[in-house]
Amino acid sequence: MTNVSDFVIARIREWGVRRVFGFPGDGIGEFDGALERAERAGEGVEYIRPTHEEICALMATAHAKFTGEVGVCIATSSPGAFHLMNGLYDAKMDNQPVVAIVGQQGLNAFGTFNQQESNLERTFSDVAAYVQTVVSPEQAQSVVDTAFRTAITRLQPCVIILPHDVQGMDMVEPGTEVWVSRSSAVAPSTALAPPIEQLQAAADIINAGERVTFLVGHGAGGATAEVLEAARLAGAVLITTLRGKQVIPSDVPYHTQQLGLLGSRPSYEQMKTCDTLVLLGTNYPYGQFLPKTGQARAVQVDLRPEQLGLRYPTEVSIWADVAQTLRGLIPLLEQKTDLSWQNRAIEGMRDWDDEIAAQASVRYDDGMNPSHVYRELNKRLPAGAIVTADAGTSADWYGQQIRLRAGMRGDLSGRLATMLAAMPYAVAAKFAYPENPVVCTIGDGAFQMLGMNELITVKKYMARWANPTFIVLVLHNNDLTQVSWEMRTEDANPVWSTSQDVESVDYAGWARLLGFNGVSVTDDDDIGRVWDAAFAHPGVTLIDAHTSRNVPPLPPHITFEFAKNTAEALLKGDPLAVGAITDSAKSMFAEGKARLKDALHLGDRDDDADDDEQS
């Protein structure tokens, strides 16, 4: 006779689950016991136990992002369940299918103010698309199936609550009685295709456009070939969101990388001049970087219907899968013969690459240039590499300097932009692809949150990985740098050291204490050698990179407000004013030199073109 817990474990296996991320506790104790029985019988799931429930939920979200499968996390009642919230919001805001299984006190404890008894359905009601307490064995089947079906179709987290006594009840087959549902563990298709009328309307807009831009998000994953073919026919330029970076290979010459504060100048400039905008699988939230209203005709394709037409006024909004839509759209697209729009973007990217190379070459007195650290990493990324970035300046340098070629992956916490996610993301990626080299890039503030703990998780499980190469880059500058710059640029406030300073820690020493390779580096000239050694090392390497806290993450276009606020903040007694002014000046001077050089080269090319015409 099996109990409810045994059934739930067998059922999630039917849904394709082979790995879960959990943390134990008495509220989920009977279920944990069933996991152990299933493991002994060879019918269980791989149970990964990191150091905190928040990490469990972030790992489940990362697993969904990197694999396309449903991520599953498990926690005990009230305190454990509450700790899942941040990771589940990451799944919610980045549209990821995650199912959380959480414990609860016994049925008779409901509403009696018992220890660790709380209203979990109310707690999870905002973050979860579906949350339900299993109150009887007959109900378990339909609740589990509905949670997985909803997570897959709505691309949102769902929560199954298992009271402790229900976990151990004998399982019964649902009957035909009234109020009893009999369900199936069959995943519905999400490959929705639009009607031909919508496809033709979209094709008419794209065919009429002379300056077509595709903004490609993570929701276009799996549609790389279709996006590239549609762009070729439309003469379109490709921009990817930060989370869509892995969808389009970086060596596509008219891929201008990202848009916005972390993006490129060619992406910024084409948004100011494009006449047609096609949004593919993206809910890009920074409307200030999109075309002005009325400037461009727009088409959007997305599986989340409530996000259609939300960021920019669209003429055609298609609720469908990106790949299916493009397969139907491609035969309707006309081949553009004028490729001047694409060529302008290609030329702009050459100039932009010169600019960011110049920024990376600058040397600072108060630490290494973080842009240079990332640029040297990018030069050495091996085939199949997976790179994670954290919220903060690590995302800035990741966006500007890291170029993901075909077969590489990269991701981060997107719309939530939570700190510390880079570590659980990297570890989850390593479990999903144990043969691939993984690089986690993270700031010292985020690393101190829970990131340092996850080196313990790595130590516990690394023997399972076919390729043990796992590298952690810590940007060590003793500052919550992104927030420091935001204080200046957004609110014209000086840096408040009381809130911003990060206690200096020997991160390399911490790695060595755990038996890993820990390397401290302080000189820009040494970082290339350190990266070479890290990729050659058959194991875990932590690179403790002492970088400048004053290097500004300069956007591709500096607004008057940005410059005004920064100047005001520095004049208000910013404790880092001298270093910030000096390092900003160096960065902008290097960028200006690169632009002047590019302008002169462009003039040479124009002169050559004139000579060709005259001849």
Side-chain angles (χ1 to χ4, degrees):
M1 176 73 70
T2 63
N3 63 23
V4 170
S5 294
D6 297 322
F7 168 79
V8 172
I9 294 164
R11 198 67 165 184
I12 69 174
R13 281 176 56 88
E14 287 188 61
W15 279 100
V17 176
R18 292 296 179 267
R19 179 179 301 113
V20 298
F21 305 94
F23 204 95
D26 64 335
I28 196 72
E30 181 62 38
F31 186 80
D32 287 344
L35 284 169
E36 191 270 336
R37 290 194 299 274
E39 181 181 69
R40 278 192 283 110
E43 299 173 350
V45 293
E46 184 182 20
Y47 182 89
I48 305 300
R49 201 219 75 191
T51 62
H52 195 281
E53 290 94 348
E54 182 177 352
I55 300 296
C56 294
L58 287 168
M59 283 183 166
T61 300
H63 179 87
K65 288 181 175 181
F66 283 119
T67 68
E69 301 169 356
V70 178
V72 176
C73 53
I74 302 170
T76 189
S77 51
S78 298
F82 299 155
H83 283 158
L84 295 176
M85 293 295 286
N86 193 50
L88 294 181
Y89 269 106
D90 191 35
K92 174 185 175 72
M93 296 177 73
D94 279 351
N95 305 323
Q96 296 303 308
V98 170
V99 171
I101 301 173
V102 301
Q104 174 63 293
Q105 300 308 296
L107 292 172
N108 290 336
F110 285 15
T112 66
F113 310 104
N114 217 311
Q115 184 179 24
Q116 293 194 350
E117 181 272 322
S118 56
N119 191 330
L120 293 180
E121 288 193 5
R122 183 179 297 172
T123 300
F124 287 110
S125 62
D126 181 64
V127 73
Y130 175 81
V131 53
Q132 186 61 53
T133 302
V134 178
V135 298
S136 71
E138 290 87 349
Q139 186 201 17
Q141 183 186 89
S142 60
V143 170
V144 172
D145 291 344
T146 304
F148 275 85
R149 190 179 304 111
T150 304
I152 291 169
T153 55
R154 295 186 59 184
L155 298 173
Q156 291 285 277
C158 297
V159 179
I160 300 167
I161 301 170
L162 291 177
H164 191 273
D165 49 357
V166 175
Q167 295 169 30
M169 290 181 181
D170 291 343
M171 187 61 194
V172 296
E173 184 71 23
T176 58
E177 297 85 0
V178 66
W179 301 328
V180 176
S181 293
R182 291 167 290 164
S183 59
S184 62
V186 177
S189 172
T190 57
L192 306 180
I196 185 63
E197 294 82 5
Q198 277 198 311
L199 290 173
Q200 188 61 63
D204 290 344
I205 291 172
I206 296 171
N207 289 335
E210 297 179 356
R211 300 181 301 279
V212 182
T213 290
F214 287 5
L215 181 57
V216 183
H218 189 272
T224 301
E226 290 84 356
V227 173
L228 292 177
E229 176 61 10
R232 183 188 68 82
L233 292 168
V237 177
L238 297 166
I239 300 174
T240 50
T241 65
L242 200 59
R243 291 204 55 241
K245 199 176 181 76
Q246 64 182 4
V247 177
I248 304 299
S250 61
D251 54 4
V252 174
Y254 43 87
H255 173 199
T256 60
Q257 295 293 307
Q258 280 71 70
L259 175 68
L261 293 174
L262 316 183
S264 71
R265 182 168 292 105
S267 294
Y268 172 83
E269 289 174 346
Q270 68 180 287
M271 279 295 178
K272 297 303 178 187
T273 53
C274 68
D275 62 13
T276 308
L277 177 63
V278 181
L279 300 107
L280 299 173
T282 178
N283 181 32
Y284 183 77
Y286 304 107
Q288 69 269 35
F289 295 104
L290 296 177
K292 293 180 179 179
T293 301
Q295 171 193 318
R297 304 179 71 186
V299 174
Q300 186 175 2
V301 183
D302 208 291
L303 275 173
R304 294 295 307 279
E306 67 274 22
Q307 295 177 1
L308 289 168
L310 179 65
R311 302 302 181 194
Y312 189 82
T314 53
E315 289 186 47
V316 178
S317 296
I318 299 177
W319 179 16
D321 173 69
V322 172
Q324 288 288 343
T325 300
L326 292 179
R327 288 172 195 147
L329 182 65
I330 285 169
L332 305 177
L333 295 178
E334 300 168 359
Q335 175 66 70
K336 287 284 199 308
T337 56
D338 181 1
L339 299 182
S340 58
W341 178 244
Q342 282 186 344
N343 291 334
R344 186 192 308 177
I346 294 170
E347 204 64 53
M349 277 305 288
R350 289 175 184 157
D351 295 343
W352 176 250
D353 285 338
D354 288 343
E355 288 185 35
I356 62 173
Q359 290 179 14
S361 69
V362 177
R363 298 297 179 260
Y364 301 102
D365 298 331
D366 57 335
M368 298 167 62
N369 184 342
S371 185
H372 175 68
V373 173
Y374 276 74
R375 191 168 187 83
E376 292 301 304
L377 164 61
N378 185 65
K379 291 177 183 177
R380 293 163 171 82
L381 283 177
I386 303 173
V387 184
T388 67
D390 211 80
T393 55
S394 70
D396 296 316
W397 315 125
Y398 168 81
Q400 289 192 3
Q401 296 290 357
I402 298 299
R403 303 291 172 85
L404 299 175
R405 302 185 299 277
M408 294 181 179
R409 297 175 177 86
D411 218 327
L412 74 171
S413 174
R415 197 154 61 94
L416 181 62
T418 181
M419 289 176 65
L420 82 85
M423 270 299 285
Y425 271 40
V427 179
K430 194 65 172 178
F431 280 116
Y433 303 100
E435 68 284 355
N436 292 49
V438 173
V439 181
C440 167
T441 69
I442 190 169
D444 49 3
F447 195 60
Q448 285 189 16
M449 278 184 159
L450 288 173
M452 294 178 71
N453 289 1
E454 284 318 290
L455 280 182
I456 301 172
T457 304
V458 170
K459 180 178 177 65
K460 180 178 180 179
Y461 292 106
M462 63 179 295
R464 302 186 185 186
W465 300 335
N467 174 358
T469 300
F470 186 92
I471 304 171
V472 180
L473 167 69
V474 179
L475 298 179
H476 186 165
N477 61 12
N478 306 324
D479 182 45
L480 299 175
T481 315
Q482 186 77 13
V483 180
S484 292
W485 278 103
E486 287 169 346
M487 290 178 73
R488 296 169 178 137
T489 62
E490 294 181 9
D491 302 310
N493 284 322
V495 167
W496 186 32
S497 297
T498 302
S499 72
Q500 296 307 109
D501 286 354
V502 174
E503 184 67 21
S504 186
V505 173
D506 182 4
Y507 303 107
W510 167 240
R512 290 193 294 270
L513 182 65
L514 293 171
F516 301 142
N517 183 31
V519 182
S520 181
V521 57
T522 59
D523 193 322
D524 291 273
D525 293 334
D526 293 335
I527 190 63
R529 171 186 56 78
V530 170
W531 281 121
D532 288 336
F535 282 112
H537 176 63
V540 178
T541 299
L542 184 142
I543 300 173
D544 186 355
H546 292 253
T547 55
S548 169
R549 67 194 300 178
N550 294 316
V551 180
L554 292 175
H557 173 73
I558 298 176
T559 64
F560 172 76
E561 182 181 16
F562 181 101
K564 172 178 169 291
N565 287 346
T566 303
E568 286 184 10
L570 295 175
L571 291 172
K572 288 178 181 178
D574 192 304
L576 304 173
V578 174
I581 293 171
T582 302
D583 290 358
S584 297
K586 287 182 178 180
S587 296
M588 297 182 72
F589 179 70
E591 181 180 321
K593 279 182 62 179
R595 280 203 224 177
L596 178 60
K597 179 180 177 182
D598 290 332
L600 292 173
H601 285 173
L602 180 61
D604 292 340
R605 289 193 290 269
D606 291 342
D607 291 343
D608 292 341
D610 292 340
D611 292 342
D612 291 339
E613 290 177 6
Q614 292 173 4
S615 62

